[in-house]
Amino acid sequence: MAKVFIEDLQGEFVEEFIWPSVQANAIYEDRYLLGTSVARPCIARRQVQIAQREGAQYVSHGATGKGNDQVRFELTCYALYPEVKIISPWRIPEFFNRFRGRKDLMEYANEHDIPVPVTPKAPWSMDANLMHISYESGILENPKTHAPVDLYLMTKNPEDSPNTPDVLEIEFLKGVPIKVINVVDGKAKDSPLEIFSYLNEIGGKHGVGRIDIVENRFIGMKSRGIYETPGGTILYQAHLDIETFTMDKEVRRIKQGLGITFSELIYNGFWFSPECAFVRDCIARSQENVEGKVQLSVFKGQVYMLGRESPKSLYNEELVSMDVQGDYDPCDASGFIKINAVRLREHHRLQGLSGSKK
Amino acid sequence: MAKVFIEDLQGEFVEEFIWPSVQANAIYEDRYLLGTSVARPCIARRQVQIAQREGAQYVSHGATGKGNDQVRFELTCYALYPEVKIISPWRIPEFFNRFRGRKDLMEYANEHDIPVPVTPKAPWSMDANLMHISYESGILENPKTHAPVDLYLMTKNPEDSPNTPDVLEIEFLKGVPIKVINVVDGKAKDSPLEIFSYLNEIGGKHGVGRIDIVENRFIGMKSRGIYETPGGTILYQAHLDIETFTMDKEVRRIKQGLGITFSELIYNGFWFSPECAFVRDCIARSQENVEGKVQLSVFKGQVYMLGRESPKSLYNEELVSMDVQGDYDPCDASGFIKINAVRLREHHRLQGLSGSKK
Amino acid sequence: MAKVFIEDLQGEFVEEFIWPSVQANAIYEDRYLLGTSVARPCIARRQVQIAQREGAQYVSHGATGKGNDQVRFELTCYALYPEVKIISPWRIPEFFNRFRGRKDLMEYANEHDIPVPVTPKAPWSMDANLMHISYESGILENPKTHAPVDLYLMTKNPEDSPNTPDVLEIEFLKGVPIKVINVVDGKAKDSPLEIFSYLNEIGGKHGVGRIDIVENRFIGMKSRGIYETPGGTILYQAHLDIETFTMDKEVRRIKQGLGITFSELIYNGFWFSPECAFVRDCIARSQENVEGKVQLSVFKGQVYMLGRESPKSLYNEELVSMDVQGDYDPCDASGFIKINAVRLREHHRLQGLSGSKK
Amino acid sequence: MAKVFIEDLQGEFVEEFIWPSVQANAIYEDRYLLGTSVARPCIARRQVQIAQREGAQYVSHGATGKGNDQVRFELTCYALYPEVKIISPWRIPEFFNRFRGRKDLMEYANEHDIPVPVTPKAPWSMDANLMHISYESGILENPKTHAPVDLYLMTKNPEDSPNTPDVLEIEFLKGVPIKVINVVDGKAKDSPLEIFSYLNEIGGKHGVGRIDIVENRFIGMKSRGIYETPGGTILYQAHLDIETFTMDKEVRRIKQGLGITFSELIYNGFWFSPECAFVRDCIARSQENVEGKVQLSVFKGQVYMLGRESPKSLYNEELVSMDVQGDYDPCDASGFIKINAVRLREHHRLQGLSGSKK
């Protein structure tokens, strides 16, 4: 007996997966906002919940045997349902010997009238979710080949995007957006899913969030991917801004390291792991005062910060002003510098002794 | 007796200071490309070289007592000329009590017919060098205030920039650019200073490299700065691309951490320190195979990667292909995932025992 | 009007300062258990509490101008009582020009019949608290000079310590000791102060916890210190043991890094800082399951782990056994290794191409 | 046709594997000196060298399917001889279904008169090399069980060790020992293998280097191991001492992080990997000035530092002295502290505003 479950997980995807990633400024290898990676544990969690409820001992997925997604799906399954058995056709010889690659499979689909979105006109594979679309393989496997201009489905080509910016004000509380207002037309959104969808809309309209990268997969090979993440890109920039505005400098340094760790864990499929839960809790702790409003403009593929304000800001206009002294004695800086130089001067002395100047 | 030395340090600034920063992907607090920070040790080194040659026991600078530049200038001086005495008027009470801030000083300048670039029309301070211009203080001290549209001197406003992209090919060797070609018009540059200047020109023309941020100064206060770094922004993106293409994944992870450390050291003024020399050497070691060509387009404030190629690439098109198997057995991935799940399943078991599910 | 407050802070010292350090495995530069460092914020906090209660605007301390303690005392004061003024005689020229060092001060004390513990017989300075004693300066300033055999006050010379070990069982909950039992004589302690004092007693009796190191002070100079930390050394070893037994491997890795950060913060005087509070909270989060009993013997300056047990252990005897298979398929390891080798083989291929073998 | 190769790799083991580990202060999970881990790449490298020379396409090893050694052997093989095929009986079902564990194998050995060192009298497995012996499994699999008193083969029981210490002077150059002198009897060694063997002898005589730990294996399970590493323990302590004495503080901090990474790489079997080569080179760079002599005593299981000296020391007795001022103005410390407090006072201000005191 077969059952099919098609469910709408958009709400939990935004609140439980995207929001923590925003708090973390999660980004893999300095560029990839993890749009696919962060969706996998959300999907697989629901899959095993249903499997457990239905008494199913097996789950399956269609991810290839060379990619990250197989790892992400399966680690989630094993973490939440340790006894589960997983069927992964692309790793079963009977399957992959018959279908040596995507080409064979497309032929099969063609023969059997199964509709597939990859056509000779779009010879690559894509994966779409609320957060982003990724394009890979096919002609994109040659890292030198430029992406076709009509590849992107979620964002407008910046060359064709509006000639006038949109200006948004995003309000954060505890490091997550709680409201977005379009300053130009007054439109406002205040539920997580609506906020994120609206940012996708505005980002998409202005061609924001396209990247073309070669990245390192968990399984040790490099792959080329083209991604578009319109709303995520706006939020990444906006959160960075309000965070640095409100968070203590040294907390920020430590949290930056945790954010990198968190990003690697997400990428590698360890969302449901003790270390990821630990890091997520630490990052959440760091966001207590990350609160306030950021104004930004979105235009021709770019996000520009315009200004920010916060009731929790550690920014002290008087302290930093070049025009008033504030509660600060400039003479202290001399001592600060001199003490910081103690070590450098000692090192110079030693170099003199050892005759090597570097 | 007074002597004045005005020297052209552009060549060494690019080769000895900017190039290592490019190799490091140096960026402070995720956004600032360190255009001012990296220039200070270059200037101060020359200053103390001249002081030593001329037998001067004192050096001086005009940096304020609240900023980072005093630290950067003076740590360089102490590191290279440990016995030097430093005169810093903004930290001498006779001076700063008479001139309580920039306003008093401008009045003084006005009374004494000393020309200054800060005017009522441009009520902020700026600092320019080959790599970037920074704008701070004055009306910009309110972090909510938007930057005036006519602030920027180095980059065109993206709204007014050309409607056609420029496409560049940048060639790297050992992590530094050795050639740039404009694919559109065939223009080519191949000396460090020319390459960097040309990237500034193209980046400036298309409005690339503007940021508006609040950052954490070394001395513990937050400040708002607006920066434009056209050529540096293009190079940052291009180097990230070729580096990830050619560098082993795990070397990259370790090097990423060293790059963050390097960035903090530069920001805090420790260019001439044993730890900075150490990190620089480590990073240089990591760049041995960072070699190849990147194609990118520059348009309306953005840099878009288009493709890359390298004789040293670790990218293996056959290995990664979804259409051929290459030297890879997909079945191995099952074991890989299962072993990675050992720990997760054990953790689940423990949670069951302790009754807490997280 | 002068008032003197002499208070017993031992309880809060153990619970609020030593216990979090135990949780963190706090150790500075791989060897120093931070016995002095961790006491300073405890003392200074009470000092400013009293100052605020009594309406005092000034506080004072006797730490020298070259050491770490001045920083630790004063940062605590400024953090908790930002408006306070601090009098530090060793940094006031009228004072330090009259008393050029400890020698002058001892002469003054001698002339004025002020009893001091540093005598010609013990020509060094010492600082003692519940956790440890440090010995510095005087004849110890020459890093080559061996410490006199009669230096130590808290621990017996191992050559003279008992020829029979004591065997202890220490029970932990959430990463802190809640009970210690002497397995030999059945003696038991279960309040924080009693536990710690008893570990000091046993450690001291067996000469545990002596180190002789050169360390790097916050202010950039190296100094030689000799420390004895009997109870702290036992706890450090015992906590490491139960922690690794109960904590997930990857959580442990991340927590190890946080522990190093925490140690540096303590050493540098930043106990009362936002980053230290942040790291402390993260570490506390990591200790939720650090629970169980450790058996160890203490003998001739050493602590030997004998065994451990825990209701929260992640150790699975069946899984790890070489004699039973458990829930583990050895074939999975082949795939695990093969996938981990993908990257290494690619690297070998590249080296072959580039002709350089390293 | 069968050939047997029995070779003496002791010299290269010390110089190419142990020495870099000494430079790194390599230690896994704060306690394990990696005695087994570091030997595996040395053995496997020779194995594949012979395989390649002899034209063998297969190599084999007897490591179990649950341990780290299989990974260490095989990653080395794949890294150096990517096309090699590996036969690992403990992962072949025909083998491990017949021999379900060590017990079956011992019975088989017994039936076929094959001599094995594991007997009912010593029901555990052991692995010995020049650097250490590890004891695991059998009765030791219960982490609560104390190790039998007669387990250890390389070190004397401290209760039975001499009542008089040996005093050694170890001389380092570029972070590796170049000479050891026994101060008591004048004995001296100056070749790598002799030095290390002599330290093993002295350490063993005094019962130095025994640990009993639970550690986290690469493959995600916890295991209990008992190790003795006499010479390695002495060197670890001695190197830590001379390194901190001669290395700049901030270089040391960065290098400490690299040493932890290096240790994990060794433990996990990645000695021959691009990242390990990279880290090794970085660490070697840090050791340029790690030079000088350390005096230490070895007694009853402990190593005590007594003193150290170096022509490259950054220790400045005059600078640090409490009795002379040296080239240091104590007043500078006031400014240093005040500037470090800027951030803490701002944080206090914010807490006041937000009403939450932490």
Side-chain angles (χ1 to χ4, degrees):
Chain A
M1 190 195 69
K3 294 189 194 174
V4 170
F5 299 88
I6 294 171
E7 311 211 354
D8 181 356
L9 305 179
Q10 290 184 95
E12 60 193 69
F13 180 42
V14 172
E15 289 177 69
E16 295 180 46
F17 296 86
I18 298 178
W19 274 193
S21 306
V22 168
Q23 290 182 312
N25 306 325
I27 195 162
Y28 181 68
E29 295 192 333
D30 294 315
R31 293 179 293 178
Y32 170 38
L33 289 170
L34 296 159
T36 298
S37 325
V38 89
R40 294 334 190 193
C42 177
I43 295 168
R45 177 176 70 176
R46 191 67 192 126
Q47 188 181 20
V48 296
Q49 281 170 346
I50 292 173
Q52 286 178 306
R53 198 187 63 200
E54 298 288 320
Q57 290 172 293
Y58 290 79
V59 295
S60 182
H61 65 79
T64 78
K66 287 182 171 177
N68 293 307
D69 282 341
Q70 55 177 343
V71 189
R72 296 170 188 150
F73 282 128
E74 298 183 23
L75 289 183
T76 299
C77 293
Y78 290 132
L80 301 178
Y81 183 9
E83 311 79 27
V84 79
K85 302 273 180 279
I86 295 170
I87 298 168
S88 170
W90 280 112
R91 295 200 313 257
I92 299 174
E94 292 86 329
F95 184 91
F96 69 71
N97 284 333
R98 173 149 175 216
F99 303 103
R100 302 225 131 231
R102 292 162 31 76
K103 206 182 298 181
D104 292 353
L105 211 62
M106 278 160 66
E107 274 170 26
Y108 179 89
N110 199 34
E111 284 168 23
H112 294 74
D113 293 321
I114 302 168
V116 285
V118 183
T119 65
K121 217 198 123 238
W124 51 77
S125 93
M126 57 171 261
D127 185 82
N129 64 44
L130 179 66
M131 189 172 173
H132 96 327
I133 302 181
S134 67
Y135 308 89
E136 289 186 325
S137 77
I139 59 164
L140 305 177
E141 276 170 8
N142 181 341
K144 200 182 161 181
T145 304
H146 296 199
V149 79
D150 60 347
L151 176 94
Y152 301 94
L153 301 181
M154 212 169 172
T155 56
K156 256 218 135 84
N157 188 335
E159 300 192 32
D160 308 324
S161 72
N163 290 314
T164 331
D166 270 293
V167 175
L168 304 178
E169 179 174 279
I170 304 180
E171 184 174 353
F172 287 88
L173 186 68
K174 293 184 186 297
V176 298
I178 55 168
K179 191 170 190 178
V180 57
I181 298 176
N182 189 321
V183 175
V184 178
D185 63 15
K187 222 178 252 184
K189 306 287 171 183
D190 56 12
S191 82
L193 180 53
E194 281 180 325
I195 290 172
F196 196 73
S197 301
Y198 185 66
L199 293 175
N200 268 342
E201 181 191 325
I202 296 294
K205 170 181 162 192
H206 291 281
V208 161
R210 297 177 166 197
I211 58 168
D212 176 334
I213 65 172
V214 170
E215 78 202 41
N216 289 294
R217 289 192 183 155
F218 185 28
I219 56 168
M221 54 181 73
K222 291 185 185 290
S223 79
R224 193 259 193 107
I226 293 173
Y227 305 121
E228 51 184 346
T229 320
T233 300
I234 298 172
L235 271 180
Y236 175 79
Q237 294 293 344
H239 182 268
L240 259 186
D241 196 78
I242 195 71
E243 182 177 273
T244 311
F245 192 51
T246 53
M247 189 179 283
D248 172 78
K249 176 194 181 189
E250 295 299 318
V251 174
R252 194 199 183 285
R253 284 182 69 207
I254 299 164
K255 188 258 170 181
Q256 182 178 352
L258 292 171
I260 292 172
T261 300
F262 186 59
S263 306
E264 293 172 348
L265 291 171
I266 297 174
Y267 187 84
N268 291 344
F270 289 91
W271 185 279
F272 289 106
S273 68
E275 67 272 28
C276 197
F278 174 54
V279 173
R280 220 153 46 220
D281 286 356
C282 293
I283 289 173
R285 161 67 176 79
S286 77
Q287 302 294 300
E288 282 171 9
N289 289 327
V290 178
E291 174 179 342
K293 294 174 189 167
V294 171
Q295 288 217 352
L296 53 86
S297 78
V298 187
F299 178 67
K300 292 281 180 192
Q302 263 288 29
V303 182
Y304 299 92
M305 290 301 121
L306 302 175
R308 70 290 294 165
E309 64 187 307
S310 169
K312 297 283 180 64
S313 170
L314 283 162
Y315 184 94
N316 180 338
E317 201 171 331
E318 191 168 280
L319 177 64
V320 79
S321 172
M322 287 201 198
D323 287 312
V324 288
Q325 197 171 314
D327 178 22
Y328 182 87
D329 180 353
C331 300
D332 290 336
S334 305
F336 179 73
I337 297 168
K338 291 288 279 294
I339 297 289
N340 272 298
V342 165
R343 201 168 48 77
L344 308 185
R345 295 164 86 190
E346 284 301 294
H347 188 251
H348 188 273
R349 185 182 60 80
L350 175 71
Q351 288 177 313
L353 291 178
S354 65
S356 79
K357 299 257 170 182
K358 188 165 275 201
Chain B
M1 191 195 70
K3 295 189 193 173
V4 170
F5 298 88
I6 294 171
E7 311 211 352
D8 181 355
L9 305 179
Q10 289 183 96
E12 62 191 70
F13 180 42
V14 172
E15 288 178 69
E16 295 180 46
F17 296 87
I18 298 179
W19 272 193
S21 306
V22 168
Q23 288 182 314
N25 306 325
I27 195 162
Y28 181 68
E29 296 192 332
D30 294 314
R31 292 179 293 179
Y32 169 39
L33 289 171
L34 297 159
T36 299
S37 325
V38 89
R40 294 335 189 193
C42 177
I43 295 168
R45 178 177 68 176
R46 191 67 192 126
Q47 188 181 20
V48 296
Q49 281 170 346
I50 292 174
Q52 287 179 305
R53 199 186 62 200
E54 299 287 320
Q57 290 172 294
Y58 289 80
V59 295
S60 182
H61 65 79
T64 78
K66 287 181 170 178
N68 293 307
D69 282 341
Q70 54 177 344
V71 189
R72 295 169 188 150
F73 282 128
E74 299 183 21
L75 289 183
T76 300
C77 293
Y78 289 133
L80 300 178
Y81 183 9
E83 311 78 26
V84 79
K85 302 273 181 277
I86 295 169
I87 298 168
S88 169
W90 279 112
R91 295 200 314 257
I92 299 173
E94 291 88 329
F95 183 92
F96 69 70
N97 284 332
R98 174 150 176 214
F99 303 103
R100 303 222 132 233
R102 292 163 30 79
K103 206 183 296 179
D104 292 353
L105 211 64
M106 278 158 66
E107 273 169 27
Y108 179 90
N110 198 33
E111 281 168 24
H112 295 74
D113 293 321
I114 303 168
V116 285
V118 184
T119 65
K121 217 195 125 238
W124 51 76
S125 91
M126 57 172 261
D127 184 82
N129 64 44
L130 179 67
M131 187 173 176
H132 95 328
I133 303 181
S134 68
Y135 308 89
E136 288 186 326
S137 77
I139 60 165
L140 305 176
E141 276 170 9
N142 182 341
K144 200 182 159 180
T145 305
H146 297 198
V149 79
D150 60 347
L151 177 93
Y152 301 93
L153 302 181
M154 211 170 173
T155 56
K156 255 215 134 84
N157 188 333
E159 300 192 33
D160 307 324
S161 71
N163 289 314
T164 331
D166 271 294
V167 175
L168 304 178
E169 180 174 278
I170 305 180
E171 185 174 352
F172 287 87
L173 186 68
K174 293 185 185 297
V176 297
I178 55 166
K179 191 171 191 178
V180 57
I181 299 176
N182 190 319
V183 175
V184 178
D185 63 16
K187 221 177 252 184
K189 308 285 171 183
D190 56 12
S191 82
L193 180 54
E194 281 181 327
I195 290 171
F196 196 72
S197 300
Y198 185 66
L199 293 174
N200 268 341
E201 180 191 326
I202 295 295
K205 170 181 163 191
H206 290 281
V208 161
R210 297 176 166 196
I211 59 169
D212 175 334
I213 65 172
V214 170
E215 78 201 42
N216 289 294
R217 290 193 183 153
F218 185 26
I219 56 168
M221 54 181 74
K222 291 186 184 290
S223 80
R224 195 258 194 106
I226 293 173
Y227 306 120
E228 50 184 347
T229 319
T233 300
I234 297 173
L235 271 181
Y236 175 79
Q237 294 294 344
H239 181 268
L240 260 186
D241 196 78
I242 195 71
E243 180 177 274
T244 311
F245 192 51
T246 52
M247 189 179 283
D248 172 78
K249 177 193 180 191
E250 295 298 318
V251 173
R252 193 200 184 284
R253 284 183 70 209
I254 298 164
K255 188 258 169 182
Q256 183 178 353
L258 292 171
I260 292 173
T261 300
F262 186 58
S263 306
E264 293 172 348
L265 290 172
I266 297 174
Y267 186 84
N268 291 342
F270 289 90
W271 186 279
F272 290 106
S273 68
E275 67 271 28
C276 197
F278 174 54
V279 173
R280 220 154 44 220
D281 287 356
C282 294
I283 290 173
R285 160 69 176 78
S286 78
Q287 302 294 301
E288 282 171 8
N289 289 328
V290 178
E291 175 178 339
K293 294 175 189 168
V294 171
Q295 288 217 352
L296 52 87
S297 78
V298 187
F299 177 67
K300 292 281 180 192
Q302 264 288 30
V303 181
Y304 298 92
M305 290 301 121
L306 301 176
R308 71 289 293 165
E309 64 186 307
S310 169
K312 296 285 181 63
S313 170
L314 283 161
Y315 183 95
N316 180 339
E317 200 170 331
E318 191 168 281
L319 177 64
V320 79
S321 172
M322 288 203 199
D323 287 312
V324 289
Q325 198 171 312
D327 178 21
Y328 181 88
D329 181 353
C331 300
D332 290 335
S334 305
F336 179 73
I337 297 169
K338 291 288 279 293
I339 296 289
N340 272 299
V342 165
R343 202 168 47 78
L344 308 185
R345 296 163 87 190
E346 283 302 294
H347 187 252
H348 188 273
R349 186 183 59 79
L350 175 71
Q351 288 176 314
L353 292 178
S354 65
S356 78
K357 300 257 171 182
K358 186 166 276 202
Chain C
M1 191 195 64
K3 294 189 194 174
V4 170
F5 299 88
I6 296 172
E7 311 210 353
D8 181 354
L9 305 179
Q10 290 183 94
E12 61 193 70
F13 180 41
V14 172
E15 289 177 69
E16 294 180 47
F17 296 87
I18 298 179
W19 274 192
S21 305
V22 168
Q23 290 181 313
N25 306 324
I27 195 162
Y28 181 68
E29 294 193 333
D30 294 314
R31 294 179 293 179
Y32 170 39
L33 289 171
L34 297 161
T36 299
S37 326
V38 88
R40 294 337 191 190
C42 179
I43 294 169
R45 177 177 68 176
R46 190 67 191 125
Q47 189 182 18
V48 296
Q49 281 170 345
I50 292 174
Q52 287 178 305
R53 199 187 61 201
E54 297 289 321
Q57 290 172 292
Y58 290 81
V59 295
S60 182
H61 65 80
T64 78
K66 288 181 171 179
N68 293 307
D69 282 341
Q70 56 178 343
V71 188
R72 295 169 188 150
F73 281 129
E74 299 182 24
L75 289 183
T76 300
C77 294
Y78 289 131
L80 301 178
Y81 183 8
E83 310 79 25
V84 77
K85 302 273 180 276
I86 295 170
I87 299 169
S88 170
W90 280 112
R91 295 200 314 257
I92 299 174
E94 292 86 329
F95 184 90
F96 68 70
N97 284 333
R98 173 150 175 213
F99 303 103
R100 303 223 130 230
R102 290 163 31 79
K103 206 182 296 179
D104 294 352
L105 211 62
M106 277 160 65
E107 273 169 28
Y108 178 89
N110 198 32
E111 282 168 25
H112 294 74
D113 293 320
I114 301 169
V116 285
V118 184
T119 66
K121 217 195 123 240
W124 51 75
S125 93
M126 56 173 261
D127 184 82
N129 64 44
L130 179 67
M131 188 173 175
H132 97 327
I133 302 182
S134 68
Y135 307 89
E136 288 186 325
S137 76
I139 59 165
L140 305 177
E141 276 171 8
N142 181 340
K144 199 182 161 181
T145 305
H146 296 198
V149 79
D150 60 347
L151 176 94
Y152 300 93
L153 300 181
M154 212 169 172
T155 56
K156 256 216 133 85
N157 188 333
E159 300 192 31
D160 308 323
S161 72
N163 289 314
T164 332
D166 271 295
V167 175
L168 304 178
E169 181 174 279
I170 305 179
E171 185 175 352
F172 287 87
L173 186 67
K174 293 186 186 296
V176 298
I178 56 167
K179 192 172 190 176
V180 57
I181 299 177
N182 188 320
V183 175
V184 178
D185 64 15
K187 220 176 255 184
K189 308 286 171 185
D190 57 11
S191 81
L193 180 54
E194 282 181 325
I195 290 171
F196 196 72
S197 301
Y198 185 66
L199 293 175
N200 269 341
E201 181 191 325
I202 295 294
K205 172 181 162 191
H206 291 281
V208 161
R210 297 177 165 195
I211 59 168
D212 175 335
I213 65 171
V214 170
E215 79 202 39
N216 289 296
R217 289 192 184 153
F218 185 26
I219 55 167
M221 55 182 72
K222 291 185 183 289
S223 80
R224 195 258 194 107
I226 293 173
Y227 304 120
E228 49 185 349
T229 319
T233 301
I234 298 173
L235 272 182
Y236 175 79
Q237 294 293 343
H239 182 267
L240 260 186
D241 196 78
I242 196 69
E243 181 176 274
T244 312
F245 192 50
T246 53
M247 190 179 283
D248 172 78
K249 176 194 180 190
E250 295 300 317
V251 174
R252 193 198 184 287
R253 284 182 70 209
I254 298 164
K255 188 258 170 183
Q256 182 178 351
L258 292 171
I260 291 172
T261 300
F262 186 57
S263 306
E264 293 171 347
L265 290 172
I266 297 174
Y267 186 84
N268 291 343
F270 289 91
W271 186 279
F272 289 107
S273 68
E275 67 272 27
C276 196
F278 173 54
V279 172
R280 222 152 47 221
D281 286 356
C282 294
I283 289 173
R285 161 68 175 79
S286 78
Q287 302 293 301
E288 281 171 10
N289 289 328
V290 179
E291 174 177 342
K293 294 175 189 169
V294 171
Q295 288 217 353
L296 52 87
S297 78
V298 187
F299 178 67
K300 292 281 181 193
Q302 262 288 27
V303 182
Y304 299 93
M305 291 301 121
L306 302 175
R308 71 289 293 164
E309 63 187 306
S310 169
K312 297 283 181 64
S313 170
L314 282 163
Y315 183 95
N316 180 339
E317 200 171 332
E318 192 168 280
L319 177 64
V320 79
S321 173
M322 288 203 199
D323 287 313
V324 288
Q325 196 171 316
D327 177 22
Y328 182 87
D329 181 353
C331 301
D332 291 335
S334 306
F336 179 72
I337 298 168
K338 291 288 279 294
I339 297 289
N340 272 296
V342 164
R343 201 169 47 78
L344 308 185
R345 296 163 87 191
E346 283 302 294
H347 187 251
H348 188 274
R349 184 182 61 79
L350 175 71
Q351 288 177 313
L353 291 179
S354 65
S356 78
K357 297 256 172 185
K358 187 165 276 198
Chain D
M1 190 195 66
K3 294 189 194 175
V4 170
F5 299 88
I6 295 172
E7 311 211 353
D8 181 355
L9 305 179
Q10 290 183 95
E12 62 193 69
F13 180 40
V14 172
E15 289 177 69
E16 294 180 47
F17 296 87
I18 299 179
W19 273 193
S21 305
V22 168
Q23 290 181 312
N25 306 323
I27 195 162
Y28 181 67
E29 295 192 334
D30 294 315
R31 292 178 293 179
Y32 170 38
L33 289 170
L34 298 160
T36 298
S37 325
V38 88
R40 293 337 188 191
C42 178
I43 295 168
R45 178 178 65 176
R46 190 69 191 124
Q47 190 181 18
V48 296
Q49 281 170 345
I50 292 174
Q52 286 178 306
R53 198 186 61 201
E54 298 288 320
Q57 291 171 293
Y58 289 80
V59 295
S60 182
H61 65 80
T64 78
K66 287 182 172 178
N68 293 306
D69 282 340
Q70 56 178 343
V71 189
R72 295 169 187 150
F73 282 129
E74 299 182 22
L75 289 184
T76 300
C77 294
Y78 289 132
L80 301 178
Y81 183 8
E83 311 77 28
V84 77
K85 301 273 180 276
I86 295 170
I87 299 169
S88 169
W90 280 113
R91 295 200 312 257
I92 299 173
E94 292 87 328
F95 183 91
F96 69 71
N97 285 332
R98 173 149 177 216
F99 303 104
R100 303 224 131 232
R102 291 163 31 78
K103 206 183 297 180
D104 293 353
L105 211 63
M106 277 159 65
E107 274 168 28
Y108 178 89
N110 199 33
E111 283 167 24
H112 295 74
D113 294 320
I114 302 168
V116 285
V118 184
T119 66
K121 217 195 123 241
W124 51 77
S125 92
M126 56 173 260
D127 183 83
N129 64 45
L130 178 68
M131 187 172 175
H132 97 326
I133 303 181
S134 68
Y135 308 90
E136 288 186 325
S137 77
I139 60 165
L140 305 177
E141 275 171 8
N142 182 340
K144 199 181 161 180
T145 305
H146 296 198
V149 79
D150 60 347
L151 176 94
Y152 300 93
L153 301 181
M154 211 169 172
T155 56
K156 257 218 133 84
N157 188 332
E159 300 192 33
D160 309 324
S161 72
N163 289 313
T164 331
D166 272 294
V167 175
L168 304 178
E169 180 174 279
I170 305 179
E171 185 174 351
F172 288 87
L173 186 69
K174 292 185 186 295
V176 298
I178 55 166
K179 191 171 192 178
V180 57
I181 299 175
N182 189 321
V183 175
V184 178
D185 63 16
K187 220 176 253 183
K189 307 286 171 185
D190 56 12
S191 82
L193 180 54
E194 281 181 326
I195 290 171
F196 195 73
S197 300
Y198 185 66
L199 293 175
N200 268 342
E201 181 192 325
I202 296 294
K205 171 181 162 190
H206 291 282
V208 161
R210 296 176 165 197
I211 59 168
D212 176 334
I213 65 171
V214 171
E215 79 202 41
N216 289 295
R217 289 192 183 153
F218 185 26
I219 55 168
M221 53 181 73
K222 291 186 183 289
S223 79
R224 195 258 194 107
I226 293 174
Y227 305 120
E228 48 185 349
T229 319
T233 301
I234 297 173
L235 272 182
Y236 175 79
Q237 294 293 343
H239 182 268
L240 259 185
D241 196 79
I242 196 70
E243 180 176 276
T244 312
F245 192 50
T246 53
M247 190 180 283
D248 172 77
K249 177 194 180 190
E250 294 299 317
V251 174
R252 193 199 184 286
R253 286 182 69 210
I254 298 164
K255 188 257 171 182
Q256 182 178 351
L258 292 171
I260 291 172
T261 300
F262 186 59
S263 306
E264 293 171 348
L265 290 172
I266 297 174
Y267 186 85
N268 291 344
F270 289 90
W271 185 279
F272 289 106
S273 67
E275 66 272 28
C276 197
F278 173 54
V279 173
R280 221 153 47 221
D281 286 356
C282 294
I283 289 174
R285 161 66 176 78
S286 78
Q287 302 293 301
E288 282 171 9
N289 289 327
V290 178
E291 172 178 343
K293 294 174 188 170
V294 171
Q295 288 217 351
L296 53 86
S297 78
V298 186
F299 178 66
K300 292 282 180 193
Q302 262 289 28
V303 182
Y304 299 93
M305 290 301 121
L306 302 175
R308 72 290 293 163
E309 63 187 308
S310 170
K312 296 283 181 65
S313 170
L314 283 162
Y315 184 94
N316 180 339
E317 201 170 331
E318 191 168 280
L319 176 65
V320 79
S321 173
M322 287 201 200
D323 287 313
V324 287
Q325 197 171 315
D327 178 21
Y328 181 86
D329 180 353
C331 301
D332 290 337
S334 305
F336 179 72
I337 298 168
K338 291 287 280 294
I339 297 290
N340 271 298
V342 164
R343 201 169 47 78
L344 309 184
R345 296 163 87 190
E346 283 302 294
H347 187 252
H348 188 274
R349 184 181 61 79
L350 175 71
Q351 288 176 314
L353 292 179
S354 66
S356 78
K357 300 257 170 180
K358 186 165 274 196

